[in-house]
Amino acid sequence: MATATKEDDSELQLMWTEAQTSFLEKTKKSLSQSKIRSLDDAMEDLDQHFNPKNPDNGKKQARVKELAMNVLRFVELLGGIAAQGASMVFAPASLCFNALSFLIAIPAKISKFHDDLAQLFEEISNFMKQFKIYQRIEQYATIEKELRDGTHKLMIQFVDICATAIVILSGSWVKKLKTMSKIALFDNDSGIRGQLDEFRRLVDLHSRISDAVTLEHVVKAEHDNKSSFKNVFDMLTNASESQRKILETSQETRDDVKVVVKDIDDRKLASKQKEQVARICKSLLIPSDAAQENERYFEAVRGDSLAGTGGWLKDIDEYKSWVDLDSKAHPVLLLSGSNGTGKSNLAAAILEDSQSQYRASDVSSMRVSLACFSFGRIEKGSKDTSSKGSHPSAIALKTMATQIANQNINFAKNLDSHLSGKDANFTRDMNAKGLSQELLPPPNMKDISDTIFVLLLDGLDQLPPDEAINLFGAVLAISSPLFRIAITATEETFRDCIESSESRSERIPSIEISEHNEADIKSYIESELKSHKAFQGEAEGISRIVASIRDKLPEIVSGNFGNVKYILDTVNEAIESNQGGEEKIMSMISVDTLKNREGIFDKIIRELNESLNTQEIIQLNELLMWTCGGAEWPTVDHMRAALRLRLKEEPLQGVDDMIRNKYSRLLEIEPESKSILPKNFDIIGYFQNTKRVKREAESETDNDPKISMTISINNVKRSQVQKFFWDLSERIVLDKFQFIASADGPETKETITANYTDTSLYLARRCFELLEGDSNDKMKLLGNYAVENIGVHLNDLRGDADNGNLELKEKEEIMAKLVDLLQSPDCVQRHLSVKFLEWAWWLLGFEGFKKWLNDEGCRGSLTRKQLTFVKRITAGNNVLALQEIATMVAGQWLRCRDWPAESCYRWIDAYLDKLEEPAKVEAIKAEGEGGNQNGIVEEDDEDEKPRPSSQKRPSMARARIQQAIDWAEKEAKILDKDSLWYERLGQTYSDYGENDLAMTSLVEAKRLPGSHWKISEILARTYAESKDNAKAIEEMETVFTRMRKQENLTNEDKSTFISNLIVSARWLIEVEKKPEAIEKLREVIEVDPDHYQGHYELLKVFVNNKQHPEAIKILNEMGSQKSKEEELTQLQSMLMEFSSWDEPVLDYFEIVCQATKDHPVFSTILEILQSTLAFAQDKKKMLNVIDLLLCHGVAQVRHIAGDNTTKALEQWSEAANIGLTARNWKLIQSAVNAANLVLNYHFSAIRRLPSNAPASEIEHHVKAVEKLTKAENGGYSLRLPMAALYTEARKGDEAKKLLLNDMKSGLDYLSDEDPENDYLGYELIANTLMHAGDDLNALSAWSLYWPKRYSHTDKGEAKAGESASEEERKAAEEKDMAFPRVCDGSCKVSWTYADSIWFCKVCDDVQFDDACLEKLKSGTLQKVVCNPEHTFLKVPSWTEELKATGKDRVRVGGEMVDGKREGGQILPVDEWLDGVRKLWGIEKPEKEKDGEKSSSTV
């Protein structure tokens, strides 16, 4: 395996340095200067920002907090991989925590935008399933460089996403302003979607790399009293996975190395399903993330709901029948209500209730797939539809089909197969009924007897009437006992749909929401009362008003939440402003008050127009347009620059003072981000609905006021004429004219006005003006805004143009400015930003540009040159409109260091992809019409610019980069290949994991004149990745020499320096130069005494070297020195920081124990551990609390004399209870370990009970563990041990019930059309049977657990009872390669398929050889793993079994003796599987029933 080299870390450090610089440029916040240094700090910060005093926001903020913790889980997971083999001054995870901390700080008081944040967090956490392989890793062994680098890139992309979200959520998106329930952060034009697409690309790349190597080695740290700490051995992997081999570790290494192939296999299956879903999305012409976006929308709505919302449904008979899958209720349920009655909240509640009921493994034997869609997410008139050529009803059906495919692998496989043979436009114009027949379920999916499909359609009334009627009919057509469908809409919509349907005489169950939601209304009233200070007074009058509200309001509002808010806001304002007495305020709690609901903003605007002067109104209009129409929430600095641009001078009064003193009724400033927000978000809808006043043509008329002058010169000397004009010029220039004030009256006063069209037009003009102007510090903020968001405003204006809201002159103006901009790349270059490059900004939003360019009706103002340009572009590939911009970006990529090389290349790569799109379409058409076979479209010679080839662009990074280089040389004329050119190219290759090409380019860059010192840093890491540590160390020394000469290193340089020192130390250790490594690590501590990773690395070297006195000396020094957090010592801070690092905390703590356990200082260490735990509990640093509890519990049983099990059990139970209800990965990981320790205790207790023990005593132990292992976050790793405990407690039926869906999933793998995943199915079946207590069938399943290459179906036929053929034997012997597991004991032995292995029947994924199992049972195994009282299954040699059974056959039956099978018979595999299905009550798939034999008794 490749190990990290000195040069590797330099390269990674450079990447992170650039990432930090980019973050600083985007957000004006420094990651390196943040106080967030650990996951615990991030958790504390999370608590501070999401513990609102306003209880109204509690539910929403709790949801965001929950998802944020989920993201931290992902970051923690990636951090463990990223840190392996790389010694960096900072923990990459810590920088991610910092970025996330800045992000969560933004919306703490912006309740309306928590849904944006929740969606972003959910989107990121969805990627975790691609990394399941790492979730059970307890210490990361050395991994391949490609994997490590890919992980760093993922983490850097995460930081970029946080930065982008900070910028966006610090502002307002126009689409969000239109409809606050929409999530504009994920608009196609926001840029977040583009970054997440790149994130997904990196995840896919990471997955492909990890499939090509054998990332299966994980170290679990447990040590005996005498051994030194582990040296993680190198693992070498062949290019082919089937040839992978695992080297045995050295005798010095005492820590086990586990091979987590099961997780790899699960990930492969998930990847395969993902590929199927991707093909489905492509066939259905919908975005790949459409399904997730709808799910996130409902989660955001649910998170915004108060606790208990919709709980009353469970008391409604119609709902109880509908939700009961065993009932014969009508499959369709209608939920009707007017706008404001909470239909979407109720739909979200139904979805959550369905998820909790149907997806619990112990509730039903049916497998339930849930799909949801909200039409409230699709804006009326939106030009940005989520499906090409589709109506919203079609989008809904396609999206729900995709959601089901994401959940049900069998559905995904069949739908993918069904669509694969169809034309690319098969579903494009299909109506709703046709789609329902083709998709729900697909016609080729025959076996759905154990599957229920639950569909949830929210907001049917948002569709045009005819479309709503068609969709309703289509839904009724698919209704069957296998479906449950809930629909929300207004009563009028349902009435029209039912009257127009073929089933209008059929009674469909319906629930009128307003008749039942009184409990929700009352909860909302209480929430609102608590959120208004005016209602908190203790005066008797206030108490009477509040009592009246509680008594009368539920009846007055008719189940409408909007009515509640309006009346309460009205009453609150009256109380605060002393408008009348108690009697008048009481009168406001009436239906009459609702009649004035629409006039509140009219009143505010009218009063402000009267109180503000003209200058103040001008400023307010400017603020309103940027706030209500801008693509980002404007900050105070942003608006200061905008006002300077508008007024042509610096505003006399500060923007913040203006808002607080003058405009506070409409606007407010968010304290943390200094963003300017609407005081009431309904003001956005008010201005949106304000109609644009049609204006007369702006051309000059006879009635317009104007000044003209005619000068007549008669009989005057030339000198006199000259003097006259000189005097006139002087007076004009020097302003020496004197004017008398006019007596005509006051000038016309400005009024407050804002409407959507004028706002979009104004901001588009501002963007053009900014881009045309020069860049300077004062205007940089707005310049960056303009280059990044001009496309947003052009898209919005395009909609106005199409709807007739723009005058012809205005459209011509926009067209001319756009064409001029496209031909002026210097305008873009002056205001270039990382965001513009990384998001391939104009490429993502190119449809708006394209529509403007193709509008022939607004070309009247174009010059001849501009018109020629437009005609040429629109006649060919429209993307060539960006050719000049692309040429400029290419220069930034290869000719300067101003912008990250990867960001520039990414823009060029996206541009080349965009160029390819038209050719792809033509190729598809040609193929469909019987065109040429290779799909290449012939080029038109008339084009002035060459059309892009329709040949598919290569997928490999090196080929794509080379194609970009070729394009840059040909089109951008970048031909001078100097040192900078090679450096930038080498950096790009490095960014994409092409290390051989990176090294070649960097060596050449260093050779040429003018080379930069960072080349050596990158090159050193490249040498190390090539296993040339000597060169890596030497190259990095040149970097150290340069950096040591620098005085007053910046924080960024210091981070780079320390990171390089640590990675260099690791390289030195690998080449047996430990003294030099120690010297480097001491220098780390000298540079930064609070760099605890450096302290730990030094401790580890001393412990492994058996230099315990040196280690103790370091610990003593740390125990006496105060840390930056003055309440703690450095040692305590290091214990706290362990939780934020990349490996399990027990591994780090064990180093401390190994160094001190034979020394008196050990008792002091335990006291420090206890005091640190108390500190964490006091500060509510829960991440630290759970880890320190786990450490203290292990210390109780491992390092303290006496029986301390009871105390340890209490601490483990506490840790498990905390972590299993959390969303943070680290908490969950540690909690699973703690829960398993608790389970081990109770399992042993049950085994010790006599056979006649009362059932209540057994049940006591079962219940003690049940609540832990059934926690949502426990998952498979706790489900298996719990099933084993059920089996031991003689509750076999409960064990089978718990694992039923696991068994179904295993059988699904075997019944699909993909033989490559069969071994995954056998593994899952074997584990399920083994933990359910069926040893004989488990042995049968394990014997079939072969890699695909050597599966039983790969070789020639063998007759029953015969041995395998010679060819099979040769293949089996060839499989003397490593078995994908190693011993979990201390021996570290690696197995082959010729070995026999003991599997623990209680733990998940724990195995031993004979010697280590004997040590475990005798209590001499120096490792905390498993339990001596567990039961074990001996799986015999796979090769011997294959020889005995032959192809397609398996040994079954017999009897178990001392954990081994004796006897049995050999049967066909299919016959054995039929018996397993029968035992578990699982129907055989329809396609397998044809010609089937009778099932044997198994």
Side-chain angles (χ1 to χ4, degrees), residues 26-313:
K26 292 180 183 179
T27 68
K28 312 305 179 187
K29 301 176 187 296
S30 172
L31 290 176
S32 59
Q33 294 179 356
S34 170
K35 296 180 180 179
I36 306 297
R37 298 192 58 183
S38 67
L39 186 55
D40 178 64
D41 293 336
M43 290 293 294
E44 182 180 16
D45 197 53
L46 199 64
D47 287 335
Q48 291 175 355
H49 286 289
F50 293 100
N51 282 318
K53 295 181 180 178
N54 182 349
D56 178 36
N57 297 332
K59 178 67 177 179
K60 179 188 293 184
Q61 294 195 16
R63 177 58 178 158
V64 179
K65 179 179 178 182
E66 175 183 331
L67 290 170
M69 293 172 68
N70 213 26
V71 172
L72 290 176
R73 171 198 311 180
F74 181 65
V75 171
E76 184 72 5
L77 183 64
L78 292 180
I81 309 163
Q84 174 55 40
S87 180
M88 309 182 76
V89 65
F90 55 84
S94 296
L95 294 183
C96 293
F97 297 148
N98 294 338
L100 187 64
S101 177
F102 286 132
L103 177 55
I104 63 175
I106 291 175
K109 296 184 180 180
I110 309 175
S111 61
K112 290 291 184 180
F113 283 82
H114 286 129
D115 50 2
D116 275 336
L117 202 55
Q119 179 176 356
L120 175 62
F121 290 163
E122 184 67 15
E123 179 81 8
I124 295 173
S125 62
N126 281 339
F127 292 108
M128 287 185 61
K129 62 185 179 182
Q130 292 294 314
F131 288 82
K132 187 177 178 183
I133 178 176
Y134 307 114
Q135 290 181 358
R136 290 169 23 234
I137 291 177
E138 297 184 358
Q139 177 167 321
Y140 301 91
T142 303
I143 65 173
E144 290 289 342
K145 173 188 181 295
E146 291 82 359
L147 292 176
R148 186 208 60 195
D149 286 1
T151 304
H152 277 277
K153 292 171 187 175
L154 278 172
M155 298 183 78
I156 289 173
Q157 187 68 19
F158 172 81
V159 170
D160 289 344
I161 289 173
C162 286
T164 298
I166 287 169
V167 174
I168 294 173
L169 290 179
S170 296
S172 156
W173 282 97
V174 172
K175 294 182 187 298
K176 186 158 196 151
L177 303 177
K178 290 182 182 178
T179 308
M180 289 308 301
S181 63
K182 314 304 183 292
I183 301 177
L185 182 61
F186 285 78
D187 238 18
N188 285 343
D189 291 323
S190 72
I192 280 290
R193 175 59 51 210
Q195 285 207 315
L196 286 171
D197 287 343
E198 174 63 13
F199 197 75
R200 181 181 291 106
R201 186 191 69 79
L202 289 172
V203 170
D204 291 340
L205 177 62
H206 191 286
S207 179
R208 290 194 295 272
I209 294 173
S210 63
D211 286 347
V213 299
T214 313
L215 181 58
E216 300 171 340
H217 298 72
V218 185
V219 178
K220 293 177 66 178
E222 284 299 341
H223 314 280
D224 58 23
N225 294 331
K226 297 181 179 180
S227 299
S228 63
F229 188 58
K230 66 182 181 304
N231 283 322
V232 180
F233 68 98
D234 281 343
M235 296 176 297
L236 303 178
T237 308
N238 293 327
S240 171
E241 183 177 351
S242 62
Q243 292 296 320
R244 60 190 173 194
K245 295 184 178 181
I246 306 173
L247 302 182
E248 294 185 5
T249 59
S250 67
Q251 293 300 319
E252 295 178 0
T253 304
R254 299 180 317 96
D255 296 0
D256 65 303
V257 180
K258 293 186 60 177
V259 185
V260 197
V261 163
K262 174 184 175 299
D263 289 324
I264 297 176
D265 295 340
D266 287 348
R267 185 165 49 83
K268 287 181 179 177
L269 188 65
S271 178
K272 181 178 180 63
Q273 185 175 2
K274 180 181 176 183
E275 291 173 1
Q276 291 171 336
V277 173
R279 288 195 295 269
I280 290 170
C281 291
K282 186 175 181 180
S283 298
L284 296 179
L285 305 174
I286 63 173
S288 59
D289 56 356
Q292 289 80 6
E293 285 186 356
N294 270 275
E295 293 169 358
R296 284 191 297 271
Y297 170 76
F298 279 99
E299 289 177 1
V301 171
R302 189 57 176 165
D304 199 22
S305 304
L306 294 173
T309 296
W312 51 267
L313 272 171

Side-chain angles (χ1 to χ4, degrees), residues 4 42 74 90 138 386 411 431 577 651 700 721 787 813 921 935 1075 1152 1240 1249 1279 1344 1383 1416 1419:
F74 181 65
F90 55 84
E138 297 184 358
S386 58
F411 184 95
N431 61 24
S577 59
E700 189 176 273
V721 174
V787 78
E813 173 196 353
V921 174
V1152 177
N1240 286 346
L1249 292 173
R1279 197 160 63 246
L1344 299 171
C1383 180
L1416 176 70

